[in-house]
Each structure stands twice: as C-alpha cells, then as structure tokens.
Amino acid sequence: MRRAIYPGSFDPVTNGHLDIIERGCKLFDEIIIAILVHPDKQPLFTVNERREILEEVLPEIKSRDCALRVDSFQGLLIKYAVEQQADAIVRGIRAISDYEYELQMTLMNRRQEPRIETVFMMAAEAYSYVSSRLVKEVYDLGGTIEGLVPPSVEERMREKFRKG
Ligand code: PNS
C-alpha cells in the first residue's frame, strides 16, 4: 500500500492541482491532499472552506484509481508525512522557476527524513501557467478564470468577492 501526501495551500484548488491528483493516482494507492494551515498568512478561503471545496470537486476526477482523502496540517510538512506513514510527497512543477524552491524544500525534507521521497510531476501544458495566486488576482481585477478552476470554485470566488 503506497501512500502519498499532496501538500499545498489550495487557496483555491485549480484544475492544475486536479490534474496532478488524477495522474498521481496512477502511482499511489492513496493520496492525502493536505492543506497547509498558515498561521501568519491571510488566505482568501478559510481552511474549512478549502476543505469543503476540495471535497466537492474531487468526485469530478474521472479516472480515480486510488483513494483520496482531504486533511489539513500545521507546522513541518515532513513531520506530518511521517505521522501519516506516507511513502512520498507529491509536488507539481510548472516552469523552471518552480524548480529552485522545490529542490531546496526536497533536500531539506530529505535531510529531516530520508525515508520519504518527493515525487515531482510536470504540470499539464494547459495549466503550466496557472497558480492560485494568479487566479485570485485576475478574478479580482475582472478577468476570466473559466477553464482554469472547477466551475464550483468560480462560483465560490464570485460569492467571496461579492461579499468583499
Ligand atoms: O501550495 P504551496 O503554497 O506551493 O505549498 C507549499 C508547501 C505547503 C508545500 C510548503 O510551504 C510547506 O511544506 N510548508 C510547511 C512548512 C514546512 O515544512 N517548511 C519547511 C519546508 S522544507
């Protein structure tokens, strides 16, 4: 039984994340989608909202060959991964610019716990420029995010920005 952690802010989840989860499912028996609870960052969606959104959209993944679980964690990712008895951490890589930061994190995590591998998956071309940060910025400034996030995320964004 191979278990992976897919960690991130998921504020909000994008189609790029969902693509990584779908393809990651071919490699692992279980993926825990782990939302980072950041004590000093003001997210757009609360952890509970992000969890709800993920649980809403995960059933939309067509070919699900593995079990998917949504969870949240605080503090060190590698500690959480050990607690969850994970074999690997999954991360998506879009451009070369992601590489340096990901390499640093991977090496630091490996130094803490060499038994847990980090597995990188290349983002789908169609989403290689998509990030949660840009999605929020473009939407906030009146641009379109159609096709970049699941429709239910678009709906939640509409509500969120309407409320202000
Ligand atoms: O979606 P993101 O913001 O790119 O995810 C970044 C994440 C959650 C993977 C990273 O910030 C993280 O692992 N944070 C937990 C704190 C930690 O373990 N820091 C040391 C990393 S070597």
Side-chain angles (χ1 to χ4, degrees):
M1 155 83 178
R2 291 271 161 205
R3 176 179 294 142
I5 307 284
Y6 181 38
S9 308
F10 303 106
D11 186 36
V13 63
T14 68
N15 286 345
H17 292 126
L18 294 179
D19 172 65
I20 296 287
I21 296 169
E22 181 169 0
R23 287 191 287 126
C25 255
K26 295 181 196 149
L27 305 177
F28 298 99
D29 302 300
E30 183 181 25
I31 300 182
I32 303 173
I33 296 119
I35 306 166
L36 172 68
V37 182
H38 215 299
D40 41 44
K41 248 194 191 166
Q42 188 57 45
L44 178 62
F45 293 101
T46 65
V47 173
N48 277 346
E49 286 170 330
R50 282 178 272 165
R51 193 190 265 266
E52 261 176 42
I53 296 173
L54 275 160
E55 269 157 8
E56 215 169 278
V57 301
L58 288 181
E60 289 169 23
I61 295 180
K62 281 171 232 95
S63 46
R64 279 177 59 162
D65 309 327
C66 75
L68 295 176
R69 184 147 61 88
V70 181
D71 195 13
S72 56
F73 74 102
Q74 270 181 329
L76 269 189
L77 168 62
I78 198 71
K79 256 177 106 178
Y80 170 77
V82 170
E83 277 162 24
Q84 296 298 317
Q85 299 180 331
D87 301 287
I89 292 167
V90 171
R91 292 287 288 167
I93 285 225
R94 289 162 300 197
I96 271 287
S97 48
D98 283 339
Y99 176 82
E100 255 180 80
Y101 176 54
E102 294 296 336
L103 176 68
Q104 276 186 332
M105 282 205 298
T106 300
L107 296 180
M108 186 60 91
N109 283 334
R110 191 187 294 159
R111 190 185 163 97
Q112 312 296 315
E113 183 46 77
R115 282 174 306 171
I116 298 184
E117 288 293 342
T118 301
V119 173
F120 288 104
M121 302 192 67
M122 294 301 156
E125 277 166 70
Y127 307 125
S128 60
Y129 59 92
V130 178
S131 68
S132 303
R133 185 185 63 78
L134 266 189
V135 160
K136 286 182 281 196
E137 185 174 319
V138 167
Y139 189 84
D140 189 25
L141 298 173
T144 176
I145 54 167
E146 197 187 337
L148 305 181
V149 295
S152 58
V153 170
E154 249 186 287
E155 181 55 38
R156 295 243 187 186
M157 299 267 289
R158 205 171 297 134
E159 281 170 28
K160 192 57 93 174
F161 282 95
R162 201 185 299 141
K163 281 182 200 154

